[in-house]
Amino acid sequence: MKTIFFVLTVLVSCAALYLLEGTNAQAIFFAVLATVLIYLVFGFVQKHRLSKALRSELTKPNIWRRNVVFGGMVTGLALYAGWIANARVRVASMPTYPKQRSLPPVDLKLSAPSLVRKGRTLATPDGPFYFSGTPEARDIAATQTPGQPMVFQGRVVDEQMQPIPEAVIEIWHANGDGDYDISGGNNCRGHQFTDENGCFEFSTVMPMGYGEPTKSITGIIDYRAAHIHVKILTQTGAELTTQVFFPDDPRNPTDMLYDTFKDALFVNVADIDDALYARFDFVL
Ligand SMILES: [Fe+2]
């Protein structure tokens, strides 16, 4: 009977994660791992630590009630472990958006100069706030969105610094209060195609970091400096998922990814004619 409930618990966890996250091996693996660990710990505690009275209560013939309650508890914990683990490492593939050429070319002369970096741009995970299916747009922040207006510009180039035209670049970020739009309204979310010089341009607002510098129950410091998430997909199928940061944000040294990116993912920021420009050139 215990084996049946163990298998059922694993199946329910995996099915729920499949519905939530799609076919993600990482999430399923952590859900199964969490289930096995919880069963092992429970078995050990039941055998060695429980009082005689409690042990006899738990081993009463009412197997169904005991196992349903325990199975439900394990399923919940396994789901949580799988979801957290998955959100931290997930890199989803970007959907292939229908190509549109309605947007005009970008004038990079208006922006901050490029910082020259050698080699491919560092990749980072999606984080938990990626939604695919964003609109093609230059202006991605609705009016009244909290945050200082900002133009995020740059180029997509190859390792020889040659422009990559017609690459899809998709971004998403928190607003000036540190909040993501999770309503499905696509505020501060959008994509576009690079022009013939590999350039892109989003008009949006300056994001703010979020979270508290304390450890959660999972031991993760969920504390983020201001950042913009970026996904790029070229016509030849090359993909990059990354995040760019702002050099003056005091939260940077305590950001959960800072040890990974150091200064490799800082945008170059310029204040030109009272307008804020942030530039980053992505190398694929
Ligand atoms: Fe984020």
Side-chain angles (χ1 to χ4, degrees):
M1 183 58 78
K2 198 170 181 179
T3 308
I4 293 172
F5 271 92
F6 173 76
V7 173
L8 276 176
T9 303
V10 171
L11 289 177
V12 169
S13 299
C14 291
L17 274 168
Y18 175 78
L19 291 174
L20 285 170
E21 303 280 352
T23 49
N24 190 303
Q26 196 92 31
I28 305 295
F29 170 77
F30 277 100
V32 173
L33 186 66
T35 310
V36 172
L37 285 176
I38 293 165
Y39 265 92
L40 286 176
V41 168
F42 181 77
F44 179 85
V45 171
Q46 193 179 359
K47 193 173 177 185
H48 297 286
R49 295 288 170 89
L50 295 182
S51 69
K52 206 172 177 181
L54 187 53
R55 192 157 61 233
S56 84
E57 177 67 25
L58 283 171
T59 50
K60 271 182 179 172
N62 194 347
I63 292 170
W64 273 97
R65 189 185 65 187
R66 179 162 54 91
N67 279 303
V68 165
V69 169
F70 181 58
M73 186 187 81
V74 173
T75 304
L77 288 171
L79 266 173
Y80 182 68
W83 186 82
I84 291 288
N86 184 43
R88 297 292 151 186
V89 299
R90 175 176 51 195
V91 177
S93 284
M94 193 200 303
T96 307
Y97 290 110
K99 187 185 287 188
Q100 298 177 27
R101 297 169 183 268
S102 56
L103 299 174
V106 176
D107 184 3
L108 276 183
K109 288 197 292 290
L110 287 173
S111 80
S114 168
L115 292 174
V116 178
R117 292 188 172 90
K118 287 184 179 170
R120 294 166 71 94
T121 301
L122 190 70
T124 68
D126 283 351
F129 298 111
Y130 175 62
F131 300 160
S132 64
T134 57
E136 190 205 23
R138 290 258 191 267
D139 295 330
I140 60 168
T143 45
Q144 310 294 325
T145 301
Q148 183 182 2
M150 180 188 72
V151 175
F152 176 46
Q153 290 182 315
R155 294 200 306 154
V156 178
V157 297
D158 63 21
E159 288 189 85
Q160 286 72 48
M161 303 305 283
Q162 296 303 304
I164 303 180
E166 311 298 344
V168 190
I169 176 166
E170 181 174 47
I171 74 169
W172 69 103
H173 63 83
N175 64 23
D177 287 342
D179 295 323
Y180 282 90
D181 178 8
I182 54 172
S183 71
N186 282 316
N187 196 18
C188 300
R189 299 171 184 271
H191 78 271
Q192 55 189 248
F193 291 84
T194 53
D195 67 14
E196 55 271 26
N197 297 311
C199 300
F200 66 89
E201 176 186 272
F202 293 93
S203 293
T204 184
V205 295
M206 174 78 191
M208 195 175 85
Y210 51 87
E212 297 298 329
T214 51
K215 281 194 175 184
S216 69
I217 56 169
T218 56
I220 294 164
I221 303 171
D222 197 4
Y223 185 64
R224 304 307 318 277
H227 61 281
I228 297 175
H229 294 269
V230 180
K231 275 183 181 292
I232 297 170
L233 175 63
T234 70
Q235 292 291 321
T236 58
E239 284 195 51
L240 171 70
T241 297
T242 189
Q243 302 170 32
V244 293
F245 297 80
F246 295 81
D248 294 333
D249 190 333
R251 289 177 176 234
N252 284 326
T254 44
D255 186 276
M256 59 192 291
L257 291 179
Y258 184 72
D259 286 344
T260 305
F261 75 85
K262 300 296 183 192
D263 65 349
L265 295 175
F266 281 145
V267 295
N268 200 21
V269 182
D271 223 324
I272 302 169
D273 296 335
D274 293 332
L276 191 62
Y277 290 86
R279 172 162 177 178
F280 197 92
D281 289 359
F282 297 91
V283 183
L284 273 82

